[in-house]
């Protein structure tokens, strides 16, 4: 009985992993038609500059799924510690709300969010 249960669990894990595979890259013409900026506190935004790159999956209907941070380069400008995780989380929440034009098949796209001090 335990052996059958272990085999069933292994098969379910494999099937989950294969359905989450990263699709091929999107073409150069795949641009967002609707974007949402990340929401960080105004005080926090003034403390850093830099960028966060996220990879998203663009579904055939233009929806974004599976956002993942692939690179964070944030530079601290003021005293205190930069909470990189908060910025990354804000970016992932925002890009998941983005919309692209429909594509022939799901594809992966890298998007870059820049943070700049305004003063």
């Amino acid at each position: 009985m335990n052996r059958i249960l272990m085999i069933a669990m292994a098969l379910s894990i494999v099937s989950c992993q294969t359905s989450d595979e990263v699709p091929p890259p999107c073409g150069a013409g795949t641009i967002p038609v609707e974007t949402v900026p990340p929401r960080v506190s105004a005080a926090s935004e003034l403390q850093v500059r830099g960028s966060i790159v996220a990879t998203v999956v663009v579904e055939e209907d233009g929806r974004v799924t599976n956002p993942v941070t692939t690179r964070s380069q944030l530079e601290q400008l003021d005293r205190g510690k930069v909470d990189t995780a908060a910025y990354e989380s804000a970016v992932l929440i925002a890009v998941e709300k983005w919309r692209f034009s429909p594509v022939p098949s799901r594809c992966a796209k890298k998007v870059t969010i820049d943070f700049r001090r305004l003063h």
Side-chain angles (χ1 to χ4, degrees):
M1 178 70 170
N2 285 341
R3 180 175 282 193
I4 293 171
L5 182 59
M6 291 176 64
I7 291 171
M9 288 176 55
L11 289 175
S12 69
I13 291 170
V14 170
S15 66
C16 288
Q17 291 174 345
T18 57
S19 65
D20 291 340
E21 289 181 15
V22 177
C26 296
T30 307
I31 56 173
V33 294
E34 183 180 332
T35 61
V36 174
R39 298 187 73 170
V40 293
S41 72
S44 295
E45 192 169 2
L46 294 177
Q47 294 177 7
V48 301
R49 79 170 158 219
S51 62
I52 294 177
V53 178
T55 301
V56 300
V57 174
V58 179
E59 299 294 338
E60 292 175 347
D61 63 359
R63 287 179 303 113
V64 169
T65 59
N66 302 329
V68 177
T69 302
T70 53
R71 183 174 53 89
S72 294
Q73 286 187 307
L74 298 176
E75 177 185 348
Q76 180 178 332
L77 296 175
D78 297 326
R79 294 179 189 228
K81 184 179 178 189
V82 175
D83 186 1
T84 304
Y87 282 88
E88 290 175 356
S89 177
V91 166
L92 295 178
I93 290 168
V95 297
E96 195 165 33
K97 296 175 184 173
W98 287 23
R99 297 292 177 259
F100 287 80
S101 296
V103 292
S105 62
R106 67 194 307 253
C107 57
K109 179 81 175 171
K110 286 188 179 183
V111 296
T112 302
I113 305 294
D114 291 317
F115 294 92
R116 290 186 211 110
R117 187 176 187 166
L118 301 176
H119 300 101

